[in-house]
Amino acid sequence: MSAPAFLDSDDPEIYTLRTTAPGPAGRLPLDAAMLRAAPSGHIFGLTQNAGMGWDPHKLLGKEVLILSTQGGLRAPDGTPVALGYHTGHWEVGLLMEETARTLSAHGAIPFAGYCSDPCDGRTNGTSGMLDSLPYRNDAALVLRRLIRSLPTCRAVLGIATCDKGLPAMLMALAGTGNLPAVLVPGGVTLLAEEAEDTARVQTLGARFAHGEISFDYAVEMGCRACGSPGGGCQFLGTAATCQVVAEALGLALPHAALSPSGAPIWRDLARRSARAALALEQRSLTTADILTEAALHNAMVLHAAFGGSTNLILHLPAIAHAAGLRRPTVVDWARLNRQVPRLVDVLPNGPTHYATVQVFLAGGVPEVMLALRELGLLRLDALTVSGQTLGENLAWWENSPRRARLRAKLRELDGIDPDRVILRPAAARAAGLTSTVTFLRGNLAPEGALVKSTAIARELLDADGIYRHEGPARVFTTEAAAIAAIKSTAADAVRPGEVVVLAGLGPALGMPETYQVTSALKYLSFGQRVPLLTDGRFSGVSTGACIGHISPEARAGGPLGRLRDGDIVCIHIDTRALEGTMDVVSLTPEELAARSPHPQLADGLAVPADTRLWAALQNASGGSWGGCVYDADRIARLLARGLAAERAE
């Protein structure tokens, strides 16, 4: 058998070698006092900087770290050398270049580090989803370690875009309260012309299975959905909501969220953000000065006003925990959602379903804030990375040429009145925009559940804004089984009026999102008449009567895991009072409690060890309602007690 050809090379140039080289010319800008007192790492760091080619005469400039979730390899002309996981991180390297060149032009020394992120859309319906939410904590740890591993760093710029990379970046910046930090949102992709958006296109398989679209239509639409090669999806899912929340926290410059990826205005944001970071450092203003209780309040208010993803009920408490702030509770979310009207008409909430880039042109976050300011709902004294308070930012925005020109641009490009995208409170009420999140109880959710009530189709609500449904349960313990039944046209098919129950997808399994199922139910002709109950979570673009985060989870003995096919479930959601219940009504409480867990919950699961570790640590730290965080002090106490008990046995 001959040796494989790749064991060696026939290129003679590979033997052109040397073992020495002259090294960089020049001298390190040190003095005797530095040599005597500085840690060896500081001096060796300067040696490394010179070794990478930086001018030795400029090595004492302020060192600023640029972190990003960049993925893939792009040629200089933008063509792919190696693909990233998704468009969201495909172009953010361009933002890194803009910030780096701006820092250099102002005498600073830019450093760059990376921690790429996965795509929830790519892993939906696959085992990769078991790593999605756990990734967030891992990435935040890595990013924080990268910050601390540059001990001479004077400021940080974080550049991120999508569902888990952006929350991780926010957690990392929040946990670095001793440094100035500015978040640069990576923007959004454009709508594709004569094509479906990236939410609807994820349902091609389900619609084709039911004969609602042709094969040719499916393959053509599947190719064309991304209007531009970079940026987060065109809808207000978790990625876009996180951009909104970052700006509302004061960690991003005004009108930073939802910028069109690749556009000059998007690159300009990076340059201005770099200057803002240097200005904060000059004034000794740190992230701890920005991330306050007032900032957290403003973020929750903007989440409600935009109709944001329910995943922020996991992410915002995690950001607060990283910053050392009190984590918001269900009581806090419910109170603010009752006070704050939804003001934005955007995918997936509707009713008209404008795209995120159109929300940006209509004025984005600061435009929504103007209406909220009138209602007295914002903490205007909160400091932001502009160096000004939120109130001062809004006073600038209200009369800025930027606001006027971009709102006019929306009329010019798309013929859309910006006041129909971002509504004033009276107009929002007249349009029937419901509040964002409703929290539910009942015998199936004794510790609570939630629904994105603003995304329930209005035709499913009665005149009082109440959703009612009673029907037989169809119980599944895997997403694969559920989607197979939804796609089926045979006797096992899911029928209108049934209640799909996805049990066993809670934190013990990594709390995967279930957009493969929720999107199919939204876009299939009969799907709106099929509510969904799960102890898992949802994509931010999910719509309909989709009730998630049901607690306790089935694998922890929760009642959801005791349901069987045919059990009658009653759902009641008041989208105005933001109250609701979900109960099994065909059993007495005693009968439900006495029933054993669904037998398929005990089936063997190939849950990665990393995910099982995440599940244990976050459960010890407050679970999903506490943001799925790692509370190091509590974990250490519990471990110490366990070890002491083990030794005593």
Side-chain angles (χ1 to χ4, degrees), residues 207-230:
R207 286 182 287 147
F208 176 74
H210 279 272
E212 297 185 5
I213 58 173
S214 70
F215 175 80
D216 286 343
Y217 180 89
V219 295
E220 289 176 11
M221 290 299 105
C223 187
R224 298 217 307 257
C226 298
S228 54

Side-chain angles (χ1 to χ4, degrees), residues 24-40:
R27 296 160 57 89
L28 292 183
L30 298 172
D31 56 32
M34 291 174 66
L35 282 170
R36 291 190 183 97
S40 65

